Amino acid sequence: MKKIIALFTFTVFTNSCSVSYQNLKTNQTHDSWKATFENFNGREKIDFKAEKSKLVYLSSELQNSEGKLYLLTNGKEIPNQNKINHTKIDLQNPSQIQIIGEKAKGSFELKYPTFDIKKIKVVSNQNFELLALSYLLLNLGDFENIPDSQTFKSDDGKEIKVKDLYTLNLKIGKEFKQYQKSKNLELIKSYFDRNFYLHFSNFVMSLDNFPNAKAISDYQFSHEFSSLSDQEKFVKAFNDFHIEIHFGEFLKKYQPYYQEMISEVSNNIPKGNFITEMEHFYSKKVDNYVLYPSLTMSFSQGFAVSNNNSIGNVFASFNKPENVNVSSKLDLGFKNEVSLRGICIHEFGHSFVNPAIDKVDEKVITSKEFLFELIKNKMSEQAYNQWKICLYEHFDRAGEVIIAKLIGDNKKADEILNDNVKNRSFIYLPQIVNQLEYWYYNEFFTKTYDQKVSEIVANLQTVSN
């Protein structure tokens, strides 16, 4: 969408009232303005037209050795608390930035990009539902054979049967149990044997809906296949399996379940405009953020999915499903604010963080690998068995802490930091958080996030575990 901003370049000076400068040097673009001067007297302004569901994220640095220099948004002064200050300006109504000088000698630098206020979409994807169902049917026996005696205590002290966590999976599995010996499913299994089924998620979700999907040459996600004919074989197996098991009829029959699932997720996603904070902090914008809850995916599984213009996550239920046979009383296990916060902020965050870590010189990463030894066992228990993966997780969790602060939830920020350091052995997290915050409030104009990440990795220090 085209951004409409009233811009002032050369005319900004002549249109302002009674403005005078000495030795002025200035450079202004569509979303930034930098100037140095002596004896600045007067008022400059930048006007923004009203645009629904948009905001300006103003980053500012004011320096003056003589006189006074002020920055206002809509008539309200922005306190010059840090070297660089960050202020959101809602564009529901026309807005204005003003720079006021009183015999000021110094400089100002402003950046004021416009952001769409984005909402997370919650949808199901029928191609993924068939992919996950195939995996479920191939492993149904394992879930059916979980002993009734296998239990655990929940956080509230209740004794829960492990098998009960898979109640919904078992219910759906029984609908299709007669097709476990299907030739189409057998062919699908041959692909799952060579690569974990979730690695095909992006591929199937980008196709036309089964049973009308077609293989595409030079496709973004075709690297999962050895050739176009290999891809065609895979797609045909799913098209045919869809028809064989009457999957379309299942989707219609379970529509109340899908509606309830989407409602449970939609009502429990994090509040606050954290997406804008993430996009501003990481200096990267994405068109769409999508959650894909799944009925057919095995309990507690999840996987990040993305394409050129979206970041998303597919995931199963988090809690024990209840009343799965009574459509008017369904509780499918998706009402978990903590887990959904983890997906929205933690998992989405990896799409910003991981590419920055990937840009760090491998020699730098290797030179710090000795730091992994202190926490290797604890990290491996959490499936983070490589130093680079450990860095992904450290920086992503650092982002979680900082984003929580930026949306005004300091309590949550402290909880995330303390839990990860004390209970999960992310012992390098405090120094990473401190250095990223220093960058955000002091170096935001001179270093990119990617550059700061490289610097932090190079300077990581040993700490006691």
Side-chain angles (χ1 to χ4, degrees):
M1 185 177 293
K2 187 176 180 181
K3 300 169 183 172
I4 305 173
I5 304 176
L7 298 176
F8 294 77
T9 53
F10 298 107
T11 58
V12 68
F13 305 112
T14 58
N15 288 346
S16 300
C17 299
S18 302
V19 180
S20 64
Y21 293 94
Q22 291 179 9
N23 298 326
L24 171 66
K25 294 181 181 179
T26 184
N27 180 31
Q28 187 179 15
T29 69
H30 72 285
D31 62 0
S32 67
W33 190 3
K34 187 175 183 178
T36 61
F37 42 79
E38 295 180 7
N39 199 26
F40 164 32
N41 269 304
R43 181 185 304 251
E44 301 287 11
K45 64 179 183 178
I46 308 169
D47 289 306
F48 301 89
K49 293 182 178 180
E51 293 189 89
K52 291 184 179 180
S53 300
K54 287 182 180 290
L55 61 80
V56 169
Y57 216 132
L58 170 64
S59 299
S60 58
E61 180 178 359
L62 306 184
Q63 294 183 337
N64 60 295
S65 58
E66 296 178 12
K68 295 181 180 180
L69 193 60
Y70 307 97
L71 183 65
L72 292 80
T73 59
N74 298 322
K76 184 177 180 180
E77 183 179 355
I78 298 174
N80 201 21
Q81 296 174 326
N82 305 297
K83 182 180 179 181
I84 299 173
N85 296 283
H86 304 278
T87 308
K88 294 186 288 293
I89 306 171
D90 197 315
L91 294 184
Q92 291 298 311
N93 298 301
S95 296
Q96 186 180 84
I97 297 171
Q98 294 180 329
I99 308 121
I100 301 174
E102 296 178 3
K103 297 181 180 180
K105 178 180 180 181
S107 66
F108 64 76
E109 184 167 359
L110 311 177
K111 287 186 178 179
Y112 36 90
T114 302
F115 288 82
D116 293 318
I117 300 175
K118 296 166 185 170
K119 294 183 179 180
I120 297 173
K121 299 175 184 177
V122 183
V123 297
S124 61
N125 181 281
Q126 69 177 59
N127 279 9
F128 179 81
E129 292 301 277
L130 186 58
L131 178 78
L133 175 64
S134 301
Y135 178 83
L136 173 64
L137 291 176
L138 291 169
N139 295 275
L140 188 60
D142 293 337
F143 302 134
E144 290 176 328
N145 294 328
I146 296 173
D148 288 336
S149 59
Q150 190 173 342
T151 64
F152 70 97
K153 280 192 176 182
S154 63
D155 292 339
D156 56 7
K158 293 182 180 179
E159 198 79 18
I160 296 178
K161 291 182 180 181
V162 173
K163 193 171 186 176
D164 287 348
L165 300 175
Y166 297 89
T167 298
L168 184 59
N169 296 135
L170 292 169
K171 173 180 173 60
I172 292 173
K174 288 178 182 178
E175 299 263 0
F176 300 98
K177 195 169 183 179
Q178 60 181 307
Y179 300 106
Q180 284 183 297
K181 301 298 183 182
S182 162
K183 293 295 183 182
N184 289 312
L185 187 59
E186 183 179 341
L187 180 55
I188 290 169
K189 181 179 182 300
S190 70
Y191 285 86
F192 291 176
D193 287 343
R194 71 164 91 153
N195 205 343
F196 186 51
Y197 88 101
L198 286 175
H199 291 166
F200 296 100
S201 300
N202 278 314
F203 177 78
V204 301
M205 293 172 72
S206 299
L207 297 174
D208 291 336
N209 288 336
F210 300 130
N212 300 309
K214 294 181 180 179
I216 305 172
S217 59
D218 299 323
Y219 192 47
Q220 181 182 359
F221 303 111
S222 60
H223 60 272
E224 301 294 347
F225 305 95
S226 60
S227 63
L228 178 60
S229 61
D230 187 38
Q231 182 192 142
E232 289 172 337
K233 188 177 176 183
F234 178 87
V235 173
K236 185 177 186 301
F238 273 99
N239 282 335
D240 292 347
F241 194 49
H242 186 290
I243 295 170
E244 178 186 4
I245 67 174
H246 309 287
F247 192 63
E249 294 178 13
F250 163 80
L251 293 175
K252 291 179 181 178
K253 177 181 177 181
Y254 273 75
Q255 194 59 31
Y257 290 76
Y258 280 102
Q259 291 174 350
E260 171 63 21
M261 174 184 70
I262 289 172
S263 176
E264 289 183 15
V265 173
S266 299
N267 291 331
N268 288 277
I269 57 179
K271 304 299 185 290
N273 193 20
F274 69 91
I275 289 177
T276 302
E277 298 293 356
M278 292 176 73
E279 293 190 333
H280 182 254
F281 183 78
Y282 295 114
S283 296
K284 179 180 178 181
K285 296 181 182 180
V286 178
D287 291 340
N288 300 292
Y289 296 83
V290 191
L291 295 179
Y292 299 96
S294 171
L295 292 182
T296 60
M297 194 177 195
S298 303
F299 173 81
S300 81
Q301 286 189 345
F303 192 75
V305 292
S306 62
N307 56 38
N308 291 333
N309 67 349
S310 74
I311 292 174
N313 204 276
V314 289
F315 56 95
S317 57
F318 315 106
N319 305 330
K320 185 182 77 168
E322 304 280 0
N323 303 316
V324 298
N325 295 312
V326 185
S327 59
S328 61
K329 297 182 179 180
L330 292 174
D331 183 347
L332 300 178
F334 291 90
K335 299 175 184 176
N336 190 316
E337 291 184 0
V338 174
S339 295
L340 284 166
R341 178 189 178 88
I343 288 176
C344 291
I345 300 180
H346 181 92
E347 299 301 341
F348 286 174
H350 275 299
S351 295
F352 298 106
V353 169
N354 290 19
I357 297 293
D358 290 340
K359 292 177 183 177
V360 179
D361 192 313
E362 284 296 331
K363 291 180 181 178
V364 172
I365 291 178
T366 302
S367 72
K368 294 294 179 176
E369 194 162 4
F370 70 93
L371 297 174
F372 189 46
E373 293 302 317
L374 286 170
I375 54 176
K376 187 173 183 178
N377 291 337
K378 290 290 185 180
M379 289 292 110
S380 296
E381 289 173 4
Q382 301 170 73
Y384 311 135
N385 55 5
Q386 297 177 24
W387 173 230
K388 191 171 186 179
I389 294 174
C390 182
L391 286 174
Y392 289 151
E393 294 299 325
H394 267 84
F395 278 87
D396 191 39
R397 290 157 202 263
E400 285 187 77
V401 173
I402 294 169
I403 298 303
K405 290 183 181 181
L406 293 177
I407 62 175
D409 196 343
N410 290 331
K411 181 180 178 182
K412 176 57 68 176
D414 290 341
E415 288 177 1
I416 296 169
L417 182 62
N418 292 331
D419 176 58
N420 279 290
V421 174
K422 294 178 180 179
N423 302 325
R424 303 176 185 274
S425 294
F426 284 91
I427 61 175
Y428 306 111
L429 198 53
Q431 59 182 294
I432 294 173
V433 169
N434 289 339
Q435 291 185 60
L436 283 174
E437 287 187 316
Y438 181 85
W439 160 78
Y440 191 60
Y441 294 109
N442 294 274
E443 302 171 326
F444 192 74
F445 288 151
T446 57
K447 296 176 183 177
T448 66
Y449 173 79
D450 293 355
Q451 290 170 334
K452 189 61 181 181
V453 166
S454 295
E455 179 185 299
I456 293 173
V457 173
N459 294 318
L460 276 178
Q461 301 295 313
T462 303
V463 296
S464 59
N465 189 2

